[in-house]
Amino acid sequence: MHTLEEIIARVAAALPGARLEIVPNNSPARQPSLLLEPGRAVEIATFLRDDPQLRFDYASNVTGVDWPEKTVREKVKVKKIVGGMEQEAEELVERKTPGFLEAVYHLYSMALGQGPLILRLRTADRSGQVALPSLTPVWRSCEFQEREIFDLFGVQFQGHPDLRRILMWDNFADHPMRKDYAPAGDQEAQP
Amino acid sequence: MIAPPAELPAPGRVGWADHDLLEVAMGPHHPSTHGVFRMNVVLDGESVAKLTPIFGFLHRNHEKIAERNSYLAAIPYTDRLDYICSMTNNWAYVLTVEKLAGLPVPDRAEYIRVIVGEFTRLFNHACMAGFLLQDMGALGTPLMYAFREREKILDLFEALSGSRMMCNYLRFGGVRCDLPGGWREQAAGVAAAFHPFLDQFEALLSENEILRARTQGVGVLPPALAVNAGVTGPGLRASGVNYDIRKVDQYGIYNRFKFRVPLGARGGDVFDRYMVRILEMRESLAILEQALRDIPEGVFLDPKAKLRNLRPKAGEAYGRIEAPKGELGFYLISDGGPAPYRYRIRPPSLVNLTVLEDMCLGHAIADVVIILGSIDIVLGEVDR
């Protein structure tokens, strides 16, 4: 099994300028993932599938994750002038990290018996019109699962052959797996 | 004499008599769909020109419900995914939570898991063969033979967990309770009696001329397409791809057992998918024999296992097992809270349906029923 650093080096050698970033995972499972830039995701995915040393020919699990906007409160040391004297004081600063939606791909290699390699794609924000490139042309197994992300999270997959709702009905407007979803008239819902 | 149309149909089509295409909605209440599943089939005469699967009739957003509940509360819910194989659903979920939280599992519990998992595989495959024959028109008999054997295993499960089908038996770090007295001997008896049943089942079915005529050369799935489309389980191995997660990942204690992985010999048609399952049942029996012989004494649940109010530290894990229908995976993200931040099920039934249209094109509509039956889906898992 190649380490993520080796995989990044192989991708960078074959596709100059492709930026990949390691997303650490602190759980005992030790499954860190690779963050791709959406613009070149199809190119990178095709390389990962076809490269004779990697051969990730099987995309097992494809799913979405919603990360809403977060407010982080931090104590920051600020220098203040109080009564002509410079003093150090702590101030509570609120910082907002922007929200985004994520598509996560778990890849395995059936030919070489290795994996998982986890790919992540992130949208710029989490508005109604967010788009990511579809990897269905690379792995057909993404077809229904990307449709499910489109249905439940509201990510438009560009290049998907048949992007329709899959589980909810066609006239349904919302995306139920988003964290802020509240069904109409549900008094118990706690978004 | 009527001149044939200038444009002849592609080879393999059944007929070209009527070029008016007819769209038929098979399901959601068609008996062959094994639940509420709909196929919009466009027919050219009797042969299939296009097939669109329509899902969602059984959708209850299991994932959202599980994200509101504690980790423990999701276990009984997983029973309802593939409601035939509740034990393996439990297993995939607890395996992932154990990965996420880094929990050890005692040896005895691992053996119990293998035993119930392989029993589940046995009756799933037997029932699948029965349902397939039912779809072919052998009404009742083969299915009831399979159900008779399944009932004996369900009795075992009931003695073990208190429930026949919704077992809710596995726990993080082990299983819920120990084997009751005499269970092991009874289980060994059921497993031993399964061999003669399989012999009889095969003598009745595998050589049957009608079964062979209906299944051989029908619904061929080329291996390259099967891999690319993410088909897993017996359907993949019927196409000749040697990929069994019990061998690849060796999760649990599968490295301790000797068993073979049967592969299809005819290029992946419906008969191969039937035959691979029959052969897999023999291998499951071999595993059961070894596990029932070797199971050690000891604790059945890790004494430090924390079931209630489990809060794994922030991170994520993907765990998967070889469920009877294919790769059943769970993907969990924890943010350190009492409920999973993200809870995702990778359902084998849904992904295996990706190639349904490819397998059906050009075949008669009567074959669609058999091809669907050979994939072996359960709608509780497809729609979740």
Side-chain angles (χ1 to χ4, degrees):
Chain A
M1 177 75 192
H2 295 260
T3 62
L4 287 187
E5 285 79 8
E6 285 167 1
I7 292 173
I8 291 177
R10 277 194 81 80
V11 173
L15 308 167
R19 277 190 297 117
L20 292 99
E21 212 178 289
I22 296 181
V23 181
N25 176 6
N26 294 325
S27 86
R30 304 207 187 288
Q31 294 173 334
S33 42
L34 280 182
L35 180 66
L36 311 189
E37 45 179 330
R40 303 190 67 177
V42 177
E43 217 180 322
I44 296 171
T46 313
F47 174 78
L48 291 174
R49 184 192 64 185
D50 296 337
D51 183 67
Q53 287 207 13
L54 301 174
R55 289 182 71 182
F56 285 102
D57 47 10
Y58 165 45
S60 156
N61 175 46
V62 183
T63 188
V65 187
D66 181 15
W67 300 97
E69 187 182 81
K70 256 193 281 187
T71 318
V72 186
R73 283 189 183 161
E74 277 180 341
K75 280 187 177 170
V76 182
K77 283 187 177 170
V78 200
K79 282 183 179 169
K80 268 186 188 171
I81 297 170
V82 183
M85 294 276 284
E86 204 179 31
Q87 276 185 343
E88 244 184 29
E90 281 195 339
E91 216 171 60
L92 207 61
V93 179
E94 276 195 1
R95 196 160 48 83
K96 280 191 174 173
T97 53
F100 54 87
L101 293 159
E102 208 172 40
V104 185
Y105 296 77
H106 286 79
L107 310 181
Y108 285 87
S109 170
M110 281 192 186
L112 304 176
Q114 58 186 16
L117 174 68
I118 307 164
L119 304 183
R120 307 184 102 89
L121 296 174
R122 285 179 183 169
T123 62
D125 54 52
R126 50 193 297 287
S127 61
Q129 290 294 316
V130 285
L132 286 175
S134 166
L135 298 187
T136 305
V138 186
W139 295 288
R140 272 268 317 267
S141 50
C142 303
E143 185 178 337
F144 290 162
Q145 304 190 67
E146 281 183 348
R147 264 177 77 186
E148 198 179 308
I149 303 176
F150 164 72
D151 187 358
L152 304 181
F153 287 90
V155 179
Q156 307 270 344
F157 282 94
Q158 286 160 346
H160 192 285
D162 181 25
L163 197 64
R164 291 177 293 121
R165 282 192 180 271
I166 186 168
L167 295 174
M168 307 301 284
W169 55 102
D170 290 339
N171 298 332
F172 189 75
D174 217 330
H175 304 294
M177 281 306 287
R178 288 201 183 191
K179 289 284 174 189
D180 51 6
Y181 170 77
D186 186 348
Q187 304 298 324
E188 288 179 19
Q190 300 163 351
Chain B
M1 182 191 149
I2 305 165
E7 205 182 296
L8 280 170
R13 292 284 176 86
V14 173
W16 41 264
D18 184 0
H19 267 253
D20 284 346
L21 296 180
L22 177 72
E23 189 171 344
V24 181
M26 280 180 81
H29 294 299
H30 194 279
S32 76
T33 56
H34 304 278
V36 276
F37 174 60
R38 180 170 150 202
M39 295 176 279
N40 267 7
V41 193
V42 177
L43 292 174
D44 176 2
E46 208 188 345
S47 71
V48 177
K50 187 173 161 33
L51 187 148
T52 319
I54 294 168
F55 315 97
F57 296 99
L58 216 58
H59 179 56
R60 65 267 188 202
N61 218 340
H62 176 147
E63 296 181 3
K64 187 87 176 177
I65 296 169
E67 285 173 18
R68 280 190 200 171
N69 289 337
S70 69
Y71 284 88
L72 181 67
I75 297 179
Y77 232 106
T78 60
D79 288 339
R80 276 89 179 156
L81 282 173
D82 173 354
Y83 39 75
I84 296 180
C85 314
S86 64
M87 290 288 194
T88 46
N89 299 340
N90 285 178
W91 195 355
Y93 176 60
V94 298
L95 182 92
T96 312
V97 174
E98 282 155 8
K99 268 189 168 183
L100 182 70
L103 305 172
V105 184
D107 237 24
R108 185 173 174 83
E110 292 279 25
Y111 273 92
I112 297 176
R113 287 180 184 187
V114 168
I115 291 167
V116 296
E118 293 306 323
F119 267 130
T120 305
R121 195 181 318 278
L122 271 185
F123 68 63
N124 178 77
H125 286 0
C127 291
M128 174 272 169
F131 278 120
L132 184 65
L133 268 291
Q134 174 107 340
D135 291 345
M136 262 176 242
L139 288 175
T141 313
L143 185 60
M144 287 306 137
Y145 273 44
F147 270 11
R148 185 189 61 201
E149 296 310 306
R150 172 172 176 255
E151 204 60 37
K152 294 175 191 163
I153 300 173
L154 291 184
D155 282 348
L156 287 173
F157 282 7
E158 189 178 5
L160 197 56
S161 69
S163 174
R164 294 167 69 246
M165 289 170 73
M166 303 294 129
C167 295
N168 181 17
Y169 178 60
L170 271 60
R171 289 291 180 271
F172 319 132
V175 295
R176 196 178 73 215
C177 49
D178 204 356
L179 305 180
W183 194 89
R184 193 170 141 188
E185 293 70 29
Q186 199 191 340
V190 171
F194 214 89
H195 275 297
F197 159 70
L198 265 184
D199 294 339
Q200 186 198 29
F201 207 51
E202 267 209 271
L204 287 171
L205 299 178
S206 297
E207 299 294 326
N208 186 296
E209 203 179 324
I210 298 172
L211 182 133
R212 293 204 162 210
R214 288 295 304 275
T215 56
Q216 293 191 337
V218 173
V220 175
L221 178 62
L225 176 66
V227 172
N228 193 256
V231 176
T232 42
L236 176 71
R237 294 189 283 276
S239 294
V241 183
N242 187 351
Y243 195 77
D244 187 321
I245 299 170
R246 290 176 294 176
K247 289 278 189 196
V248 176
D249 282 10
Q250 304 203 330
Y251 60 91
I253 49 163
Y254 271 112
N255 54 352
R256 296 186 198 172
F257 301 112
K258 262 180 88 175
F259 65 101
R260 293 170 300 175
V261 179
L263 300 178
R266 308 175 35 88
D269 57 7
V270 172
F271 185 76
D272 265 345
R273 289 195 278 280
Y274 159 80
M275 205 60 212
V276 160
R277 285 178 169 97
I278 298 281
L279 296 172
E280 268 189 16
M281 282 194 266
R282 305 261 185 206
E283 298 307 315
S284 286
L285 286 171
I287 298 174
L288 274 174
E289 217 166 82
Q290 298 168 53
L292 286 165
R293 184 192 63 209
D294 298 343
I295 180 168
E297 292 298 320
V299 290
F300 57 89
L301 184 69
D302 188 51
K304 285 182 190 155
K306 192 178 174 191
L307 299 180
R308 290 175 193 283
N309 207 9
L310 180 77
R311 289 167 183 260
K313 64 178 180 178
E316 61 173 57
Y318 179 69
R320 56 179 197 160
I321 68 161
E322 181 73 35
K325 292 183 170 62
E327 172 182 335
L328 175 64
F330 277 79
Y331 174 57
L332 298 172
I333 301 182
S334 164
D335 60 353
Y341 181 81
R342 179 80 181 96
Y343 171 101
R344 150 82 182 166
I345 302 148
R346 188 261 185 216
S349 293
L350 174 72
V351 183
N352 288 355
L353 280 174
T354 310
V355 286
L356 179 63
E357 184 182 15
D358 301 65
M359 289 197 280
C360 290
L361 286 184
H363 287 295
I365 189 161
D367 292 336
V368 171
V369 172
I370 296 171
I371 293 169
L372 179 71
S374 75
I375 299 178
D376 189 16
I377 59 165
V378 159
L379 270 296
E381 188 177 71
V382 172
D383 293 340
R384 283 159 293 139

